[in-house]
Amino acid sequence: MAVKIRLQRHGKKNFAFFHIVVADSRSPRDGRYIEQLGTYNPNTNPATIVLNSERALAWIKVGAEPTLTARRILSYEGVLLRHHLDGGVAKGALTQAEADKKWNDWKAQRDAKIEAKKTALKNSAVEARKAAKEAEVKVNEARAEALAKKAAELAAKQQEAEAEASADEAAAEAPAAEEAQAEA
């Protein structure tokens, strides 16, 4: 029986998440499985992976073949590195203490990289909000200037209209005053 470590699709359309399972290679993708090792959610940034590394390592040691995507996930979680280091210990190339040190160094480096990505994403979101707020302030200032300019133009037109109306009244009163003087 060929055993594979693969992904089993769950979730809604266009919003999938996956269970990482050990299954017979002849069973359907979402069908029967032997053991569930964890979950993988690609919808979050960075992707959320929950994996029972010890069980995954045990299955790798007894010959379970991971699919390409499952291999990438196992590599990302360090299961394949652990398998490689255990092979080195079994051959006598390094001691268990050296293997553990290499594993811990790699794990610390990976965790630091993940934290750096999370903080970078958080900082970029904060910067985007600041930029949006600054752009909004600029737009509001431009609108306020435009309204002030429009109000000034309306006031100027109103003054011109009043001046023109008073000039028309004065012009209308002047001939009437001349007629009144001519009659007197």
Side-chain angles (χ1 to χ4, degrees), residues 86-130:
D86 288 349
V89 169
K91 291 179 182 175
L94 60 147
T95 65
Q96 185 64 42
E98 291 172 338
D100 289 341
K101 183 180 182 329
K102 285 185 178 186
W103 163 255
N104 291 332
D105 291 344
W106 177 86
K107 187 83 168 165
Q109 183 181 8
R110 190 200 72 158
D111 290 344
K113 190 190 224 182
I114 291 172
E115 283 303 314
K117 183 174 183 179
K118 285 181 181 178
T119 57
L121 287 170
K122 194 174 190 180
N123 290 341
S124 67
V126 168
E127 290 298 321
R129 275 188 257 135
K130 282 183 183 177

Side-chain angles (χ1 to χ4, degrees), residues 7 18-20 37-53 69-79 107 110 114 118:
L7 300 180
F18 301 91
H19 289 179
I20 303 167
L37 300 176
T39 59
Y40 167 61
N41 185 1
N43 300 312
T44 60
N45 192 4
T48 306
I49 300 171
V50 177
L51 182 68
N52 184 345
S53 300
T69 308
R71 179 177 293 278
R72 296 229 14 190
I73 291 170
L74 294 175
S75 176
Y76 181 78
E77 288 295 312
V79 174
K107 187 83 168 165
R110 190 200 72 158
I114 291 172
K118 285 181 181 178

